[in-house]
Amino acid sequence: MKKVLFFASDYKIGLSTLLTDEALAFYHAGIDFVTVAGDSEQEEGLSDKINELVSVYRIDNLDEHHNFKSLAKDIAQIAKSNGTNVFHVQNNWQLALSVYIKYVLLHNLNIKIVYTLHGFRHNHPLKSIIARILIGGLLFFFADQIICMSSYLKRKFALLSYKIVLIPLGIPDSFFTEKHEIDEGNGLQMVFPAQFRYGKNQNMIIRAFAKYIKKTGDTSSCLILPGSGDLQKEMISLAQSLGISRHTLFPGQCSKDKIRQYYLQCNIGIVASNCETFGQSIVEPFVLGRCVVTTPVGIAPDILKDGEGGLFFRNEDELTKIFERLHTSPSFITQCGKHNFERREQFRWASIAKLYKNMLSDL
């Protein structure tokens, strides 16, 4: 029988929102596991949320990348006292700790290591190549199972495909509204929540939107860009210089519930990233029954076809033409939204937990 030690925190984040939801889904699915996490939390209230149902071992400085041997001893004791035979890790630091515990502290070769591949410096071409080589080598030698969240990510590590299982991430239940409601008569109401950093390409959206506004004279459409980051001020200045400030909103860093509210106000989710390993900003509007306009990254090619559920673009000119097309086809926006709404169940955490249980049974 598999007994999992699940790492629910990440580097400089602590207990994460995403991993808290995942752990709670495992609990409701009847998976046998214990949870370890650092001493901090990504959002206020996460500890209370998870502690209602799941016992979490909090380990000081787990996510700070120092005191390696001391941390390993603490985790080894937790694993030993709970009869753990599977370690599920989220990053290379946790992988190193688990390998050390397996081979040096516990001398237990029956322990299996599962690694969820969240990223590999994927927005930086040169760094991503180096990261893929280094991470791929570690996973070849030490991981028994690798979880990839999209076919795109699996292809990036094709040499390890025999170890890879495709399991997407889940979306909070609050995103699963009972009815599909969308406003056809209010122009293009678009939202792209993302950090303002290299590779997210908010500048491409702003420029394409400005060209569209200038050409059509549209006065009702709006672009919402939640998030924070080094490039935020530059993007605000760009919108001002192109004369579309009254059509753009920069609300800053937002809670997940606030993001959900923005999606419900809009009819289009838009993503311009160079690369995504999954793409929550693709799946969230998909689940809420919004038209998705995106670069062909992350999970998008797995769940969308061009013209079914949304549209793909690769550059600014293609995006401008999409805006013009949608401007004259509000019924198409609604059609795409309904298409996505009918296929949303695959992203419930309960569905994800079933896939995880199947993975464990085959491990």
Side-chain angles (χ1 to χ4, degrees), residues 88-105:
H88 183 165
V89 304
Q90 314 294 338
N91 57 43
N92 296 332
W93 173 253
Q94 295 168 6
L95 175 63
L97 287 167
S98 299
V99 170
Y100 182 75
I101 293 166
K102 174 179 178 176
Y103 291 99
V104 177
L105 297 183

Side-chain angles (χ1 to χ4, degrees), residues 206-274:
I206 292 169
R207 289 194 181 97
F209 190 47
K211 288 180 181 178
Y212 157 77
I213 293 292
K214 183 177 181 180
K215 184 173 181 178
T216 63
D218 183 350
T219 59
S220 59
S221 292
C222 179
L223 172 63
I224 304 174
L225 297 172
S228 60
D230 295 339
L231 298 180
Q232 183 185 32
K233 290 183 179 179
E234 182 180 327
M235 295 302 106
I236 294 173
S237 297
L238 177 62
Q240 291 172 342
S241 68
L242 294 174
I244 59 169
S245 292
R246 63 185 296 267
H247 293 280
T248 54
L249 177 64
F250 297 86
Q253 194 67 31
C254 297
S255 67
K256 185 64 70 174
D257 185 61
K258 186 63 177 177
I259 295 296
R260 184 182 66 87
Q261 292 176 35
Y262 280 131
Y263 278 127
L264 289 174
Q265 295 170 20
C266 293
N267 50 24
I268 298 167
I270 185 167
V271 176
S273 305
N274 286 343

Side-chain angles (χ1 to χ4, degrees), residues 172-185:
D173 285 343
S174 61
F175 279 71
F176 289 82
T177 55
E178 290 186 11
K179 296 181 180 180
H180 180 248
E181 297 178 352
I182 194 167
D183 188 352
E184 272 192 21

Side-chain angles (χ1 to χ4, degrees), residues 114-131:
V114 177
Y115 185 105
T116 294
L117 190 48
H118 291 279
F120 53 95
R121 302 280 183 177
H122 45 275
N123 274 305
H124 299 271
L126 180 58
K127 290 181 180 179
S128 72
I129 293 173
I130 296 171

Side-chain angles (χ1 to χ4, degrees), residues 13-16 38-48 58:
I13 292 177
L15 181 65
S16 85
D39 49 323
S40 58
E41 57 185 358
Q42 187 176 13
E43 292 183 7
E44 186 177 352
L46 285 181
S47 294
D48 293 337
R58 306 304 289 264

